[in-house]
Amino acid sequence: MFKNLLKKFSIILFVMVSFAGKTYSADLSFFTIGTGGTAYTYYPVGGMIANAISKPPGSRECGKGGSCGVDGLIASAVSSRGSVDNVNAIISGLRNSGFAQSDVAYWAYTGTGTMEGKEPAKDLRTIAALFEEHIHLVTLKKSKIKSVKDLKGKKVSLDEPGSGTYVDALLILEANGLSEKDVQAEALKGNAATDALRNGKVDAIFVVAGYPTGALVELASSVSIKLIPIDGAGAKKLTDKHGFFSQSSIPEGTYEGVKSTSTVAVGAQWFTSAKENDDLIYNITKALWNAESRKLMDVGHSKGKTITPDTALAGVGVPLHPGAERFYKEAGLIK
């Protein structure tokens, strides 16, 4: 008799747990954000934004010490090879969203520029413009490299194919009369690139990231480095031909012992697919710009303070997702 009762109790318990599991799952959803290498800016910013838009079941209420994210949403920042990889992952359905450089995304959407000949990524949609990314061309302070043209014949890390850095490095070389064949190209990313530079295995590395980027802060604290200017006729040719680039500079003191350096910059933006649910993207966009999220942004990363509603639509060349567009209209950012 005891065995029969125990068996009945086990069946009831199994049904209760199964039912509870189904109810819990129905209230829970997941949302991925493709970022970049863990040593650069995309990854920590992605983690910060994932925290801002998440609100798992059981969270305390917004404004009462709890999350102000989307009810039942768990967002996660996923390390990736960068802009091109993220765009491809969004279109293929591998990831829900991802960060990409404004130029890479526009070329992918239109099938032009470096993406000419490929099928346009017509389902790509914008959630928000985030921050400005600067092209860092880094070498050791003792190096005789003083300009982009001096890279000829040198060992240079262009980052991995599939990254926005790789795309931009090729364009910068081209604008200065060089090509990938003129350098001894290496495809190194993050700490692998900085370690190779530190150990003399490469002469220079390209890094496209919001400053200060962790890998270079660490590098500058262990060895004397310098940034090579990307300016003059080469930079003008680049900005004239590609409107996504702008002339900018990295301030003195951003990296230990490094002077202010003129360079070019592009915008970092957040993209998703047109197939993502309108209400979900509306709520994600609303959570991103919530006043409580502002507190997370201000302390979460040095670039966080520059991620503001005022620049949310700056340089956007890919159509907004309808959900994001609805929020911006309600917020008065689109008339």
Side-chain angles (χ1 to χ4, degrees), residues 18 26 74 86 100 124 127 282-283 286:
S18 298
I74 296 179
N86 290 336
L124 195 64
I127 296 176
Y282 167 81
N283 287 322
K286 186 176 182 179

Side-chain angles (χ1 to χ4, degrees), residues 169-183:
L170 295 184
L171 293 174
I172 289 166
L173 290 175
E174 180 187 11
N176 287 273
L178 301 176
S179 71
E180 187 173 2
K181 294 179 181 179
D182 291 314
V183 301

Side-chain angles (χ1 to χ4, degrees), residues 234-313:
K236 186 177 187 306
K237 183 177 179 180
L238 189 71
T239 55
D240 286 349
K241 185 176 180 180
H242 305 292
F244 295 101
F245 287 102
S246 60
Q247 193 73 56
S248 190
S249 63
I250 298 172
E252 183 174 358
T254 300
Y255 304 106
E256 186 177 333
V258 179
K259 297 178 180 179
S260 175
T261 308
S262 180
T263 186
V264 290
V266 293
Q269 301 179 351
W270 188 13
F271 299 94
T272 188
S273 169
K275 295 175 183 177
E276 291 290 337
N277 181 271
D278 289 4
D279 288 338
L280 174 63
I281 300 302
Y282 167 81
N283 287 322
I284 283 174
T285 310
K286 186 176 182 179
L288 174 67
W289 302 122
N290 184 286
E292 293 297 316
S293 296
R294 175 78 270 140
K295 297 176 184 177
L296 290 176
M297 302 284 190
D298 287 345
V299 300
H301 190 272
S302 56
K303 276 295 175 188
K305 292 181 180 180
T306 70
I307 301 174
T308 69
D310 292 339
T311 57
L313 303 175

Side-chain angles (χ1 to χ4, degrees), residues 131-148:
F131 56 87
E132 196 174 43
E133 293 188 276
H134 287 70
I135 286 78
H136 300 66
L137 178 51
V138 193
T139 187
L140 298 180
K141 196 167 187 177
K142 63 183 180 182
S143 170
K144 294 181 180 180
I145 298 172
K146 296 181 180 180
S147 69
V148 176

Side-chain angles (χ1 to χ4, degrees), residues 9 30 71 286 310 316:
F9 177 75
F30 299 90
D71 287 335
K286 186 176 182 179
D310 292 339
V316 170

Side-chain angles (χ1 to χ4, degrees), residues 33-89:
I33 304 171
T35 59
T38 56
Y40 293 157
T41 308
Y42 276 8
Y43 186 74
V45 169
M48 176 182 70
I49 289 177
N51 287 337
I53 67 173
S54 295
K55 189 176 182 181
S59 298
R60 286 185 291 177
E61 289 301 309
C62 175
K64 297 181 180 180
S67 170
C68 296
V70 180
D71 287 335
L73 185 71
I74 296 179
S76 59
V78 181
S79 177
S80 77
R81 288 183 294 167
S83 294
V84 178
D85 184 37
N86 290 336
V87 169
N88 290 337

Side-chain angles (χ1 to χ4, degrees), residues 148-199:
V148 176
K149 291 184 177 181
D150 291 339
L151 296 177
K152 188 172 183 178
K154 300 294 193 296
K155 291 182 179 179
V156 184
S157 173
L158 307 178
D159 209 315
E160 297 175 326
S163 70
T165 300
Y166 178 79
V167 173
D168 287 350
L170 295 184
L171 293 174
I172 289 166
L173 290 175
E174 180 187 11
N176 287 273
L178 301 176
S179 71
E180 187 173 2
K181 294 179 181 179
D182 291 314
V183 301
Q184 298 179 54
E186 299 285 344
L188 302 175
K189 191 171 200 70
N191 290 327
T194 55
D195 286 345
L197 181 61
R198 181 190 290 111
N199 297 325

